[in-house]
Amino acid sequence: MKRILSLLIAIAMLVVAVSLVACGNDPETTTTKKPDVTTSSSKGDSTTSTDNDGTTASSGTTDSNGTTASSSSTTEPGSSGDDLSGKTKHPDFMDVNFNSREFVFAIQKKGDWDEYPIAPEATGEDNIITEASINRTKTVESLYNCKIKEIQCDDSATGYSLISTDIQTGKHTVDFAEYQYSLGRANAELVNFAKLDIDLTHDWFDQSFIDTYNVNDDGVNRIFQLSGPWNLISYDASWMLYFNMTVYEALLAAGKTNVDLYQTVKDGKWTVDVMLGMMDATRNDVNGDQKMNYDDGDVFGLTTYANGYVNNAIWFGIGGRGAIRDTATNKVVAVSKDTVDVAALSAAIDKASKLVNNEGFTAINAIAKARGSFTNGQTLFASECLAAASLVDDENANFSCVPFPKYNEEQESYYTMVCNRAYALAASAAISDLDNIASFIEVFAFHSQKLLYPEYVNYYKTQVFCDDGAGEMLDIVFKGRVWDMDYLGNMGITSTVASYISTGKNMFSKAIASKSAATNSKLDEYRANVKKFADK
């Protein structure tokens, strides 16, 4: 149980090629044709950028609708194509020996979310994720002669606060921290990973995250946090659609829909219009009082918890972004009339708005009740993060998942919002043996990719969702994960668009100039701050 606008996400993803060539593997170069939708300040022309070592990377390819697409897709964990099992040393790290060095992680515990311990102890009642985490940690300890320790933190003492205390007192008790609301943080208390001997192009690092937070508009890489297959809470923060299998099957049996949902997704035809049709087919005023009311037992096409996240998730699903990588300057900049087709974007917002301004949609104020809606038969679709599925305790709940729909069939990919509950990894500037830290991060991430991440996915496929097809849907959801600085930094564009989607009063074309200026000011401040500490 447990296009039009795709250009925006695709441009962001191409920084795998543009931003990190100085760090390692040279991505494959492709050619482009000029799109008919303006997607960057370079006006969509095909460009290549040259890094300090003279390697070049393509700006992307263009699909049939003029969408600029990344020349190298974000690689999901576990897809490196090699036959390494993770049970033995990686060939590049055969000589690594940490000489019994202990590496200490401080992990923040937050509410009912599973922070996924780094070094759990077996209890005899462990699920497959915990068992895999134990296996990963013991494997790294055994192969590389080290110990891995974890400190559990709460809101009063986050992992970062422990690092800060170390720096202020001249101690070194914590090496790494993972904590919420910290993405992109840079200061003198943290390590700039790009200065370490780490190949940040390895597929065991989340390339979409690096693309978003790496500051390298002058050809020098700077990044103070990382994410990857050890950071499972960032996958739990993926926002998706659940659907109730019983309600869906009843619609099929009654002839109210003929949509093969899984196949429609796989065929690339899962769009807002298709979803709207299914919502209309589901809506049922059970007591006939001409009012749709969840507490009266009425059946809806889409429900969600009333925190507004569904509007953001719809926005990202149709290819929207608040900030994108500008191929001309290699800066992450706000979407604006210079970087996107504003009219096309505004039209997409109008269509997205139809989903939440539909009689078959309701937002539920109580989170437990909202989560219960996708298992009790009162809705076809429900909007939630993946973590919510793991909290369903009804063994008979009959539900599965799909990604958020595309704007139209020409959109290249499905996209998934990573919500603001995601964590990232930071390292303490109190560390003196940075060569050890660099090697440890590499091997820890590699073995997490091979030993932990597959079992995490397997857990959701086999023990949370009730249907075999959910596994393939989950793969699609993860492949489309989007990190967005405007949204995650609460800079203004995404939240403003969310209000347009919610109210149906779309002022995007009029407001874009001022909103973009405000976000760009914050992005400029962010870059300046990162450079200040990275270049010291």
Side-chain angles (χ1 to χ4, degrees):
M1 280 44 74
K2 300 215 164 162
R3 153 175 325 215
I4 278 170
L5 303 176
S6 61
L7 52 101
L8 302 181
I9 305 303
I11 287 177
M13 291 168 63
L14 65 86
V15 168
V16 173
V18 176
S19 68
L20 291 173
V21 287
C23 295
N25 307 338
D26 182 26
E28 179 181 356
T29 300
T30 60
T31 58
T32 68
K33 64 180 180 180
K34 185 174 181 179
D36 55 6
V37 178
T38 302
T39 61
S40 73
S41 64
S42 58
K43 299 298 181 183
D45 292 332
S46 172
T47 61
T48 58
S49 61
T50 305
D51 214 300
N52 293 339
D53 62 359
T55 56
T56 60
S58 171
S59 64
T61 58
T62 310
D63 72 11
S64 60
N65 207 31
T67 299
T68 300
S70 173
S71 61
S72 60
S73 62
T74 299
T75 307
E76 67 171 330
S79 61
S80 61
D82 57 49
D83 59 357
L84 300 177
S85 67
K87 298 177 181 179
T88 59
K89 284 187 174 184
H90 188 283
D92 291 347
F93 302 99
M94 296 299 292
D95 297 331
V96 171
N97 185 324
F98 295 119
N99 298 309
S100 300
R101 163 71 148 93
E102 182 177 68
F103 296 94
V104 181
F105 287 78
I107 309 298
Q108 180 181 4
K109 177 66 178 175
K110 191 75 173 179
D112 60 359
W113 283 60
D114 191 337
E115 80 288 354
Y116 297 105
I118 293 294
E121 296 182 0
T123 65
E125 299 179 355
D126 306 307
N127 65 31
I128 61 177
I129 301 178
T130 302
E131 292 173 352
S133 182
I134 294 170
N135 182 32
R136 179 273 321 275
T137 297
K138 288 185 175 180
T139 298
V140 173
E141 289 179 332
S142 175
L143 291 177
Y144 303 99
N145 188 17
C146 66
K147 294 296 292 182
I148 299 173
K149 178 183 176 181
E150 176 181 349
I151 299 173
Q152 290 279 328
C153 305
D154 57 27
D155 287 340
S156 63
T158 66
Y160 174 72
S161 71
L162 296 183
I163 288 177
S164 183
T165 298
D166 272 1
I167 299 298
Q168 294 170 15
T169 60
K171 298 179 180 179
H172 173 200
T173 65
V174 174
D175 295 301
F176 305 108
E178 287 191 322
Y179 49 104
Q180 191 184 7
Y181 304 133
S182 65
L183 305 180
R185 181 198 292 265
N187 58 38
E189 298 178 338
L190 301 178
V191 171
N192 171 19
F193 289 118
K195 281 191 173 182
L196 305 186
D197 186 17
I198 299 176
D199 185 349
L200 293 175
T201 67
H202 276 142
D203 62 1
W204 51 74
F205 297 119
D206 187 327
Q207 296 302 314
S208 180
F209 183 92
I210 291 172
D211 168 40
T212 301
Y213 288 103
N214 186 21
V215 174
N216 63 346
D217 51 292
D218 56 358
V220 177
N221 294 305
R222 306 170 185 87
I223 187 163
F224 284 78
Q225 270 134 34
L226 296 174
S227 187
W230 70 88
N231 184 24
L232 298 182
I233 198 169
S234 77
Y235 296 93
D236 270 6
S238 303
W239 212 262
M240 63 189 68
L241 286 173
Y242 297 114
F243 73 97
N244 185 286
M245 296 287 290
T246 302
V247 175
Y248 171 60
E249 289 164 359
L251 289 176
L252 290 173
K256 292 185 177 182
T257 185
N258 62 357
V259 176
D260 182 331
L261 194 47
Y262 287 154
Q263 193 60 48
T264 299
V265 172
K266 291 188 286 186
D267 290 344
K269 298 181 178 181
W270 175 232
T271 65
V272 171
D273 287 336
V274 174
M275 183 174 172
L276 284 168
M278 297 184 72
M279 288 174 60
D280 289 340
T282 306
R283 185 177 69 243
N284 183 11
D285 176 12
V286 173
N287 64 6
D289 65 356
Q290 307 301 310
K291 297 178 181 179
M292 290 295 293
N293 189 315
Y294 182 83
D295 290 334
D296 289 343
D298 294 338
V299 180
F300 290 79
L302 172 63
T303 60
T304 190
Y305 176 49
N307 58 7
Y309 282 24
V310 65
N311 303 317
N312 299 325
I314 292 169
W315 166 241
F316 287 112
I318 62 175
R321 289 293 296 270
I324 61 175
R325 182 74 65 167
D326 182 354
T327 59
T329 65
N330 206 29
K331 294 180 179 179
V332 174
V333 297
V335 294
S336 69
K337 63 181 179 60
D338 296 321
T339 58
V340 298
D341 184 326
V342 172
L345 187 52
S346 182
I349 293 170
D350 288 337
K351 180 176 287 189
S353 181
K354 294 179 180 179
L355 289 171
V356 297
N357 288 282
N358 181 294
E359 285 187 305
F361 167 79
T362 190
I364 303 170
N365 287 320
I367 190 167
K369 185 187 294 187
R371 289 175 174 171
S373 69
F374 58 85
T375 61
N376 68 5
Q378 273 195 256
T379 190
L380 174 58
F381 298 109
S383 162
E384 252 290 2
C385 60
L386 178 60
S390 67
L391 300 174
V392 174
D393 55 11
D394 180 358
E395 293 184 357
N396 297 313
N398 190 21
F399 70 105
S400 187
C401 66
V402 289
F404 269 80
K406 298 179 179 182
Y407 169 68
N408 58 23
E409 292 184 19
E410 286 69 40
Q411 182 174 310
E412 183 186 59
S413 302
Y414 298 102
Y415 299 114
T416 302
M417 177 182 80
V418 178
C419 81
N420 58 11
R421 286 298 302 268
Y423 289 9
L425 180 75
S428 171
I431 299 168
S432 59
D433 57 337
L434 291 178
D435 287 344
N436 274 336
I437 291 297
S439 295
F440 178 81
I441 290 171
E442 290 269 31
V443 300
F444 189 75
F446 164 71
H447 290 282
S448 295
Q449 179 196 59
K450 295 298 184 179
L451 300 177
L452 176 62
Y453 176 81
E455 293 305 314
Y456 167 80
V457 175
N458 187 42
Y459 165 75
Y460 275 101
K461 287 182 177 181
T462 64
Q463 297 189 22
V464 174
F465 296 108
C466 65
D467 188 84
D468 291 340
E472 192 166 359
M473 295 300 104
L474 194 58
D475 291 339
I476 292 171
V477 166
F478 283 165
K479 287 177 182 177
R481 291 165 70 249
V482 173
W483 302 82
D484 185 276
M485 285 188 68
D486 173 84
Y487 162 64
L488 292 166
N490 196 26
M491 297 180 180
I493 293 178
T494 305
S495 59
T496 298
V497 171
S499 70
Y500 298 154
I501 291 174
S502 179
T503 64
K505 299 178 180 179
N506 184 359
M507 302 292 290
F508 186 78
S509 296
K510 294 183 178 179
I512 186 61
S514 62
K515 296 298 180 183
S516 296
T519 292
N520 275 329
S521 178
K522 294 174 182 177
L523 290 169
D524 287 343
E525 182 179 352
Y526 170 76
R527 278 189 294 272
N529 187 61
V530 170
K531 290 179 179 180
K532 172 184 176 182
F533 294 106
D535 300 344
K536 292 183 67 172

